[in-house]
Amino acid sequence: MVKSLADRGRPEKGLPIPCLPENGGMNRGDQMQRNIPLLRKLAIATDERFLIVPFSDIMYIGADRGRTVVALRKKKMTVNETLVSLEKRLQPQSGIVRVHRAYLVNLEAVTEISPWFNSTYNLMLENGDKVPVSRNYAKNLRMWFKL
C-alpha cells in the first residue's frame, strides 16, 4: 500500500500515540509535586516578613477599598496581595471559599446563616463579624451546608 505525503510519519490507525515528556520520563514538576507535603497553613506577607497562619485561624479574607484584609480569630491585617492571588494559593481542602466578589470565608468559622434580601445571605462568624453572600454564590452555600 502506498502512503501519501500527508500520511508519512503518522502511526497506523488503532495504534496509540506516545505522549511522553521530551525527556522520555516523568518531568521534574511532577516529581517535585509528589514530594510537597499538604500543609494546612498559609504564608501571608506582612511588612518585611511572612506570617504563617493555620487555615483554622482565618475567619475571612476580604477586599476593602483596594486593600486586602485578612481577618484572623484575634486580629485583622492588611496585606499587599490581591484577593484573587490568595484564593489561588489556597488549596481546595482548606475550606476557605469564595462567597462574594469581595470575600473568601472559612466555612468552619460560620456559626449562623441569615437570609437577606434578593436571595442573598449574611454569615455570622465565630469572631462576631458578618460576611455577605451574593446571589451568584448562594447556590454553592446551600450545597455546602445542605440547606
Side-chain angles (χ1 to χ4, degrees):
M1 178 159 122
V2 178
K3 288 186 174 182
S4 70
L5 286 175
D7 289 334
R8 289 186 189 161
R10 292 187 183 171
E12 295 294 325
K13 288 185 179 178
L15 294 177
I17 300 172
C19 295
L20 294 175
E22 290 179 18
N23 62 3
M26 181 173 38
N27 66 26
R28 186 168 164 78
D30 291 342
Q31 187 178 6
M32 288 178 65
Q33 283 184 345
R34 289 184 184 169
N35 295 334
I36 296 174
L38 181 64
L39 293 178
R40 307 263 322 138
K41 296 181 178 185
L42 179 67
I44 301 172
T46 60
D47 300 323
E48 305 231 352
R49 59 193 173 115
F50 288 95
L51 184 62
I52 308 299
V53 179
F55 292 151
S56 59
D57 284 354
I58 299 171
M59 297 288 108
Y60 70 89
I61 303 171
D64 184 32
R65 296 182 210 131
R67 304 289 290 170
T68 304
V69 175
V70 178
L72 304 175
R73 289 190 184 280
K74 297 182 181 177
K75 65 179 180 176
K76 292 181 183 177
M77 318 184 297
T78 302
V79 297
N80 291 328
E81 200 167 350
T82 66
L83 191 66
V84 172
S85 67
L86 285 170
E87 181 181 22
K88 286 180 182 177
R89 289 188 340 165
L90 290 166
Q91 298 139 352
Q93 303 88 351
S94 69
I96 300 172
V97 296
R98 186 173 288 274
V99 294
H100 189 277
R101 70 181 172 94
Y103 289 97
L104 303 172
V105 72
N106 184 347
L107 294 177
E108 296 292 325
V110 176
T111 58
E112 185 178 314
I113 301 171
S114 302
W116 211 20
F117 65 94
N118 290 337
S119 302
T120 61
Y121 296 93
N122 270 330
L123 303 178
M124 179 66 78
L125 305 179
E126 291 174 0
N127 64 353
D129 290 343
K130 286 184 181 180
V131 174
V133 178
S134 68
R135 285 186 309 211
N136 294 336
Y137 296 96
K139 182 178 178 181
N140 292 343
L141 181 76
R142 289 190 299 270
M143 180 187 66
W144 293 323
F145 286 103
K146 298 181 182 8
L147 299 177

